Amino acid sequence: MNENRDRSSPILANKHYAEESAFQPGNLLREARRQKGLAMRDVPAICVLDPDGDLVRRLRQDGRATADRDWACYHSELDRFVEGDVEFGIVGCVVGASYAVLVAEQLFAAGCRLLISMTSSGQLQPVRPPPYFILIEQALRDEGTSYHYLPPSDFAQANAGVIAALEGAFDGLREPVLRGATWTTDAPFRETERSIAAMTARGLLAVEMEAAALYAFAQACGNRVVCFAHVTNQMGQEGDFEKGEADGTVDALAVIVAAARRLG
């Protein structure tokens, strides 16, 4: 058996990219509302995916987040909070490409107009000591979900207009926000030394688990999504995963709010 099959692999077959999906997220939400007796209520126009869950936990601990009891998703919880003059919806622990896109589909079906993902990530290029942020301009598609939305290619791209609009948005923040490309993987515990070396040689800045799929979904469906990597570790070295003040939530919120004010 050829272990290096690519275009004959099942994940690349029968995708029919131009066809509409028979299973619509709005229908799933409708049935969930019916079964659970929930009211029809739009989510905030700006929503946040928080794969680590640190932001949601901190906002709840500080009494700043309110659970949205009418969020009809079967698989996640939505909180609402206000930062400055902006109301956000936020979903915690949305880790991994397929789960992130599953929730993103339902958020946009429920009224979201801009989705911001803030995921923790591992450093590839030693550009500076962690923690710091990366505005992800493109992500290498080493996951599965993006192939259900776009034909095969190496990278999924952020919307050029969204990236251009963020020029200068983060000037003056305490932690720097770099720009560049990341490696999206489904399997962080299969990051071998040789695969890490190959991705580093391609100039990728960090590795994370959601951006390629979210950008492919955004491009295919015409939705606005922007992804940030919060670089907090060097592949599990001793002393890793120190995010900063309040588990990094102070600086992460500053980046999210700056992006929302520029794009909202």
Side-chain angles (χ1 to χ4, degrees), residues 137-204:
E137 297 177 318
Q138 60 178 358
L140 190 79
R141 298 171 61 183
D142 194 17
E143 40 65 58
T145 305
S146 69
Y147 295 90
H148 294 272
Y149 287 88
L150 294 178
S153 63
D154 284 0
F155 288 92
Q157 307 286 337
N159 179 281
V162 168
I163 295 298
L166 292 174
E167 182 68 36
F170 313 108
D171 294 350
L173 296 186
R174 186 167 63 176
E175 280 193 7
V177 180
L178 312 181
R179 292 178 177 225
T182 58
W183 165 26
T184 304
T185 179
D186 280 333
F189 299 126
R190 286 301 301 151
E191 294 168 6
T192 65
E193 293 294 339
R194 283 202 293 177
S195 63
I196 291 169
M199 297 305 173
T200 303
R202 296 188 72 160
L204 306 182

Side-chain angles (χ1 to χ4, degrees), residues 107-122:
L107 287 170
F108 280 99
C112 176
R113 296 293 177 265
L114 169 66
L115 182 64
I116 301 171
S117 176
M118 176 60 75
T119 188
S120 63
S121 65

Side-chain angles (χ1 to χ4, degrees), residues 12-29:
L12 301 179
N14 299 308
K15 289 299 176 284
H16 314 297
Y17 294 105
E19 290 187 13
E20 187 176 13
S21 174
F23 187 21
Q24 293 291 325
N27 295 346
L28 184 69
L29 293 173

